[in-house]
DNA sequence: TAATTACATAAACAAATGTTGATGTATTAT
DNA sequence: ATAATACATCAACATTTGTTTATGTAATTA
């Protein structure tokens, strides 16, 4: 991969995060790069391909992550905790890509859009199968599987927004601990 | 408010939800309305004002809801359960507006954007104050207040997406019950 | 009856948009 | 030395965009 391509990738990441994909023009990107508009087309094929590259890159990281977790020997709860860790790690390491993953995928077009949706469903299905196993083994409460998966992922999906892109008061370990505490024990204080 | 204005409001709601605000052109809206482009300007001032109207409308409903809850006599946990109910109700009654509230606010401009952000912070601050009170009274577990507020709201924010805009298997009561179970007790099965 | 209001159409515009073509230079690989 | 590669510039393009102006009709209100 070219050097300039990489620089462009990171620059456009920041700008698209800040302004949104649709609102980011090629001329905006050119200005940010300090080059001519047409110059950009030496690095990428089109504006669409830029979005595709970003989105499928970060998607790959999630897919690899979840696959590794699923073929491990951990039980369902520990596997879910690994998923939490996956999100925490990526939220801290790749907050911008993560933001675009949740906010800008709808700007994909045609078969790329279809592909993305199927990838996302694939991921959610994998998480769902862990939760299903947890319910089967009675280590998780019985509830609607779809809702459970949704609630679990909801707690993680916007993490980047609140805790990687703003000043956060705690380290990764403590963040992870408190999220796990919430997901598995809930808010209620049962100690007294 | 004019009759046509109302029709236009609902039509554009659907289209903006489907395509996104930036991607929805005035010509798209005109076609959907079965009228000329310029005709639209008999109903609204500008494309921006359309977005502003939608967003601040639904925002008002949330603000009124949370204010009502906060001046009630309920304890912190019951107040939070009322907030859950508020989200469930609005997710079912106004799923489109809710979707735009979370997905399209960044397309606001200038002082309207600033106003919106301050309104959202106001709302989150109100929720946070309920949670703070819950922690003070020891009915909620002690954890980072900001994170707790974030986790609580995350469970609710995208409800419309999964449970109002898709076929859902249960009624409002059961949906609410399961969400509350998760938020306050967590996923872990402690019964055995 | 007169005036205001709601709604419609057609034509046009100025700005912004993604993209291309022609051309050139400097560096690297063969 | 030659060819390929990476990178740059300038001008231009065809569309698409939100919006306006001018004009007209039908219904409601004063």
């Amino acid at each position: 991969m070219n050097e300039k391509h990489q620089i462009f990738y990171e620059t456009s990441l920041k700008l698209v995060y800040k302004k949104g994909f649709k609102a980011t023009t090629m001329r905006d990107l050119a200005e940010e790069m300090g080059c001519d508009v047409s110059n950009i087309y030496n690095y990428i094929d089109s504006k669409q391909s830029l979005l595709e590259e970003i989105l499928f890159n970060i998607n790959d990281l999630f897919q690899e992550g979840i696959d590794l977790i699923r073929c491990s020997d951990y039980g369902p709860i520990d596997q879910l905790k690994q998923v939490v860790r996956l999100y925490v790690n990526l939220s801290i390491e790749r907050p911008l890509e993560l933001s675009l993953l949740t906010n800008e995928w709808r700007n994909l077009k045609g078969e790329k859009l279809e592909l993305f949706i199927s990838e996302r469903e694939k991921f959610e299905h994998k998480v769902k199968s862990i939760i299903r196993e947890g319910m089967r083994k009675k280590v998780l409460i019985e509830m609607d599987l779809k809702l459970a998966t949704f609630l679990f992922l909801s707690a993680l999906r916007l993490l980047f927004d609140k805790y990687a892109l703003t000043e956060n008061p705690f380290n990764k370990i403590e963040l992870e601990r408190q999220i796990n505490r919430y997901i598995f024990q809930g808010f209620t204080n049962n100690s007294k």
Side-chain angles (χ1 to χ4, degrees), chain A:
Chain A
M1 184 158 296
N2 311 338
E3 184 197 4
K4 277 277 179 173
H5 180 101
Q6 192 60 33
I7 297 176
F8 175 75
Y9 182 87
E10 280 151 27
T11 306
S12 54
L13 207 51
K14 285 181 203 160
L15 206 57
V16 171
Y17 165 77
K18 189 173 153 197
K19 306 189 67 171
F21 177 73
K22 270 269 175 190
T24 304
T25 73
M26 300 303 270
R27 282 159 182 85
D28 289 336
L29 290 172
E31 191 177 8
E32 199 76 10
M33 285 287 291
C35 72
D36 199 278
V37 200
S38 58
N39 209 337
I40 293 177
Y41 289 87
N42 288 323
Y43 319 136
I44 58 165
D45 289 339
S46 66
K47 197 190 177 191
Q48 282 297 318
S49 74
L50 167 65
L51 184 63
E52 291 159 10
E53 186 186 353
I54 295 174
L55 261 37
F56 286 103
N57 267 356
I58 184 71
N59 170 70
D60 287 348
L61 295 181
F62 271 106
Q63 299 291 352
E64 288 164 20
I66 190 82
D67 288 339
L68 228 70
I69 291 168
R70 284 223 305 164
C71 69
S72 73
D73 290 335
Y74 292 110
I77 286 187
D78 282 328
Q79 286 199 5
L80 289 179
K81 286 182 179 175
Q82 294 283 342
V83 176
V84 171
R85 179 165 296 172
L86 177 64
Y87 265 93
V88 168
N89 283 343
L90 288 177
S91 291
I92 289 171
E93 287 161 21
R94 315 287 279 263
L96 299 181
E97 281 105 323
L98 243 168
S99 171
L100 302 201
L101 194 67
T102 45
N103 292 320
E104 304 289 358
W105 61 268
R106 51 136 107 241
N107 288 306
L108 290 170
K109 285 180 182 171
E111 57 178 12
K112 294 291 184 180
L113 177 58
E114 291 171 32
L115 177 60
F116 180 87
I117 292 174
S118 94
E119 286 286 295
R120 198 183 46 167
E121 283 170 356
K122 214 184 291 177
F123 180 83
E124 288 176 7
H125 185 79
K126 289 168 187 170
V127 173
K128 194 191 284 182
S129 80
I130 300 176
I131 294 179
R132 183 188 294 113
E133 184 66 8
M135 289 184 185
R136 203 185 58 79
K137 289 188 174 173
K138 306 281 185 201
V139 292
L140 297 182
I141 57 167
E142 195 118 2
M143 68 182 289
D144 180 77
L145 187 57
K146 203 173 155 190
L147 180 60
T149 308
F150 162 76
L151 289 172
F152 176 75
L153 289 176
S154 284
L156 305 174
R157 192 164 285 151
L158 298 174
L159 256 190
F160 66 90
D161 190 30
K162 291 282 172 187
Y163 281 85
L165 296 170
T166 62
E167 8 60 62
N168 58 40
F170 24 61
N171 56 35
K172 212 169 74 172
I173 310 290
E174 181 61 11
L175 174 62
E176 217 179 301
R177 201 188 65 76
Q178 295 203 10
I179 292 175
N180 282 329
R181 174 74 162 87
Y182 162 74
I183 290 179
F184 295 104
Q185 311 294 329
F187 273 155
T188 307
N189 185 359
N190 299 307
S191 69
K192 69 164 188 175

